Amino acid sequence: MRLIKVDPRALKQNPNPLRQTKSTAQADALLLATIKAVGIVQPPLITPESDGGNAYIINAGHRRVKQAIAAGLEEIDVLVEEAANDNGAMRSMVENIAFEPLNPVDQWRAIERLVALGWTEEAIGVALTLPVRQIRKLRLLANVLPAMLDHMAKGDMPNEQQLRTIAAASPDEQKEVWKKHKPSKADPQVSWWSVAQALQKTRMYARHASFGDDLAQAYGIQWVEDLFAPADEDSRYTTNVEAFLGAQHEWMANNLPKKGIIAETTNWGEVKLPPKAERVHGKPTKSDCTAMYLDREGRVQTAHYRMPEAKRPKGKAAPGTVSVPDDLGGVSKPRPDVTRKGVEIIGDYRTDALREALGRAPIEDGALMALLILAFAGQNVSVTMGGGGLYCGQSRLAKHAAVLFDGDGKLAFDMDALRIAARAMLGDVLSCRENATNSGIVSRIAGEMIGADDFLPNMGTEGFLSCLSRPALEASCKDTAVLPRQRAKDTRAALVEHFKDGRFVHSAALFAPDPTKLSAWLSSSSTVADDAGEVDDETAGIGDDPAEDDAAAFREAAE
């Protein structure tokens, strides 16, 4: 590279200038005044013409040369360099960026020039310290109407999603929309949102399709590849929404499970369950039903629900219910912290967590024996005694006894099989659900004992948080960065966003029972045990000490 003096009027313009956008009159006037005052501080960069003549081409410094001519300078200093393999394209672009950042349109033009010269997107990204995603975004401009490009060059750019929508439309579609939304003297700004909305075509992605190629062909679905999408995802899509949804519906009809229905959705994308159906938020049981539906993106989703039990004849109260007089006063009761629906959700969550803990948590043999004894104290278990009584769940529980016998029908088992059977039986017996299967306080004691709290799911969801009162919702913000909002739904939305990648468990869902209720239950259990001990003493001659030892051991296991 060498420094020489030349007549600025003898220099030729670069046929592929990077900065094609015209500079403002104010910027040109400022540069002219600077050149008149102190001359050209940084010499322009030129290269000889490729044909071997004496002419030179400007690589960087077109504005400086132009204003030097305007200032009447006869000679200026310039730097001469030999032309690179890419005709100085990369050097010229870097030089321009160093002086003043190119607008996105000029950056795109420079990138396209480099690509035409054999540069890859990755190589351009390394040279310009730009992410490849940014380079691919700029290359979307190749599909944009020239009139839109001229406006974007002034600095008014759409966001990436709007640009993708515009670039995906045909030139004729862009032209029609631009006529309606192009800027005017009264409103020089463009509403790119309105432009994108007018060109928006709903895309249904192949990665969201449950159906295969056979149904895609049957419905005439042609997949289109999004060339600008990340390379690590299936970006195929179709704008034939009706065909896509039809194929999804047919797939659901062909794969509908027993007790399953195809459900519709609300305007907000929520599934519409049958009247009086109760949605199951935990793991479904065999008796629960399944609803299949399509969400807003066309994906197949499932929801489980159960129907209410048949009503009992009038005059007969259900077991365990308490009648309430009709003449109570009209004093309104404050809303509880957790609604009835929330209590039912907690029951589902607890039962699922308890069963998972019974299947996975470490339990010593002594604790396992204590849990078996504890389970039979549940309010959902009764045994037929000599003096009468009821027994429920015999067929369900008897299946676990099969592991205790060998092929000849004799009682023979190993400890591993016994442990598995014991855990499975406990999983069937112990329940926290708010219905006839509820084991009561014993399931809470068992869950606390084996650490079932660790198996509870994230409850920081819209479905559960909507079941909390405003004070309880605001109390859930404690120990978080979320501040209570003026509206409860805004607080709820902030909590859902906060916990979407974390875990929140409401204190009402923890297994530890209330100490007062636990003490009352232990006292009543001790009274029953004492009465049973007196009967045994009279009939079987059993002493007092063993009974007291058993009661003490039972309390220790429960605590």
Side-chain angles (χ1 to χ4, degrees):
M1 186 178 294
R2 64 185 189 278
L3 183 68
I4 64 173
K5 289 183 178 293
V6 297
D7 183 351
R9 299 164 187 80
L11 299 176
K12 292 185 177 182
Q13 296 287 325
N14 193 320
N16 296 303
L18 290 181
R19 201 181 295 273
Q20 296 184 20
T21 305
K22 291 183 178 181
S23 57
T24 62
Q26 293 84 346
D28 288 341
L30 178 61
L31 181 59
L32 176 60
T34 303
I35 292 175
K36 286 182 177 180
V38 297
I40 296 179
V41 177
Q42 172 109 21
L45 191 65
I46 64 174
T47 55
E49 271 192 322
S50 57
D51 58 4
N54 296 325
Y56 292 95
I57 297 174
I58 303 171
N59 261 357
H62 291 80
R63 292 180 61 233
R64 282 169 278 168
V65 171
K66 180 180 178 181
Q67 297 307 319
I69 295 173
L73 299 183
E74 297 295 330
E75 286 185 327
I76 60 172
D77 291 330
V78 292
L79 286 170
V80 182
E81 66 169 3
E82 297 302 322
N85 293 334
D86 59 1
N87 295 325
M90 177 55 73
R91 179 186 293 274
S92 180
M93 182 176 184
V94 172
E95 177 109 10
N96 274 277
I97 291 176
F99 278 108
E100 182 181 352
L102 293 173
N103 66 56
V105 176
D106 285 340
Q107 286 186 45
W108 158 67
R109 287 172 176 149
I111 288 171
E112 291 300 325
R113 180 185 172 195
L114 291 171
V115 170
L117 292 169
W119 287 71
T120 64
E121 293 177 345
E122 290 74 15
I124 296 172
V126 172
L128 301 179
T129 64
L130 288 174
V132 176
R133 181 180 178 86
Q134 175 67 13
I135 293 173
R136 289 177 178 170
K137 173 187 172 182
L138 290 171
R139 296 196 70 190
L140 289 171
L141 295 172
N143 303 318
V144 175
L145 191 72
M148 290 190 191
L149 280 178
D150 293 341
H151 183 81
M152 292 178 187
K154 299 176 182 177
D156 186 8
M157 286 287 296
N159 62 35
E160 182 175 354
Q161 187 58 45
Q162 293 166 348
L163 182 57
R164 287 183 179 277
T165 302
I166 295 169
S170 68
D172 291 338
E173 291 172 330
Q174 294 184 41
K175 189 174 182 180
E176 287 299 320
V177 171
W178 186 246
K179 285 180 180 179
K180 299 178 181 178
H181 299 281
K182 64 181 179 180
S184 60
K185 292 182 179 180
D187 187 9
Q189 292 292 324
V190 174
S191 174
W192 292 115
W193 181 88
S194 301
V195 174
Q197 281 294 107
L199 295 171
Q200 179 70 48
K201 288 184 179 179
T202 303
R203 291 185 177 185
M204 311 305 290
Y205 287 92
R207 62 178 179 269
H208 296 160
S210 296
F211 57 85
D213 293 337
D214 52 344
L215 281 179
Q217 294 176 3
Y219 279 84
I221 296 174
Q222 299 291 330
W223 298 116
V224 180
E225 190 77 34
D226 185 352
L227 300 178
F228 299 98
D232 57 348
E233 71 175 28
D234 184 359
S235 61
R236 294 175 302 152
Y237 69 91
T238 179
T239 56
N240 192 346
V241 178
E242 186 176 350
F244 182 92
L245 297 181
Q248 290 284 69
H249 272 281
E250 183 166 338
W251 182 90
M252 288 193 295
N254 295 336
N255 295 272
L256 201 62
K258 293 182 179 179
K259 295 186 178 180
I261 63 169
I262 297 178
E264 297 181 353
T265 57
T266 65
N267 293 333
W268 296 273
E270 294 290 333
V271 60
K272 290 182 180 179
L273 296 178
K276 299 183 179 179
E278 173 190 350
R279 184 162 184 174
V280 177
H281 295 273
K283 294 180 181 177
T285 61
K286 291 183 179 180
S287 60
D288 291 335
C289 304
T290 302
M292 301 181 74
Y293 64 98
L294 298 179
D295 63 13
R296 287 182 170 182
E297 295 180 342
R299 293 176 293 191
V300 175
Q301 304 286 5
T302 58
H304 301 284
Y305 66 94
R306 64 175 61 103
M307 299 303 295
E309 298 180 1
K311 292 185 178 180
R312 295 177 177 271
K314 292 184 178 180
K316 294 184 180 180
T321 58
V322 180
S323 59
V324 180
D326 295 334
D327 56 352
L328 292 178
V331 180
S332 61
K333 296 181 180 179
R335 181 187 178 187
D337 285 346
V338 183
T339 64
R340 185 65 191 172
K341 180 181 177 182
V343 172
E344 292 172 355
I345 293 176
I346 289 175
D348 288 342
Y349 285 161
R350 276 184 180 152
T351 302
D352 293 340
L354 181 57
R355 289 175 178 171
E356 192 155 355
L358 286 169
R360 295 169 53 190
I363 306 176
E364 296 181 357
D365 292 342
L368 192 60
M369 185 66 71
L371 287 174
L372 284 170
I373 297 171
L374 192 64
F376 278 96
Q379 66 185 26
N380 63 328
V381 176
S382 57
V383 180
T384 303
M385 304 296 293
L390 296 174
Y391 182 87
C392 67
Q394 182 179 15
S395 61
R396 184 183 67 183
L397 302 180
K399 65 181 181 181
H400 301 300
V403 300
L404 306 178
F405 296 87
D406 59 14
D408 298 329
K410 293 184 179 181
L411 196 64
F413 55 86
D414 59 54
M415 286 303 298
D416 289 337
L418 183 59
R419 293 185 186 103
I420 293 173
R423 288 173 180 255
M425 177 174 280
L426 287 169
D428 277 346
V429 172
L430 293 174
S431 170
C432 302
R433 301 191 192 278
E434 291 295 308
N435 52 32
T437 67
N438 193 351
S439 302
I441 197 170
V442 298
S443 62
R444 303 276 296 277
I445 298 171
E448 183 188 22
M449 179 180 180
I450 63 176
D453 284 338
D454 295 335
F455 295 89
L456 287 168
N458 176 29
M459 301 171 69
T461 62
E462 179 69 23
F464 178 77
L465 294 178
S466 61
C467 299
L468 300 182
S469 64
R470 187 186 187 95
L473 190 65
E474 294 178 351
S476 301
C477 298
K478 186 179 179 182
D479 300 328
T480 70
V482 178
L483 296 176
R485 301 327 198 240
Q486 185 174 2
R487 297 188 302 176
K489 70 175 185 179
D490 294 336
T491 304
R492 188 163 57 246
L495 285 173
V496 170
E497 178 66 22
H498 178 77
F499 289 114
K500 69 177 182 180
D501 296 324
R503 180 170 175 267
F504 166 71
V505 176
H506 195 270
S507 58
L510 297 176
F511 278 87
D514 181 77
T516 304
K517 293 182 180 180
L518 178 59
S519 299
W521 180 80
L522 287 173
S523 299
S524 63
S525 300
S526 298
T527 302
V528 174
D530 291 341
D531 293 342
E534 293 177 3
V535 174
D536 290 343
D537 289 345
E538 295 175 0
T539 58
I542 299 176
D544 293 337
D545 292 343
E548 292 178 359
D549 293 341
D550 290 343
F554 182 78
R555 290 193 191 93
E556 184 178 352
E559 293 170 357

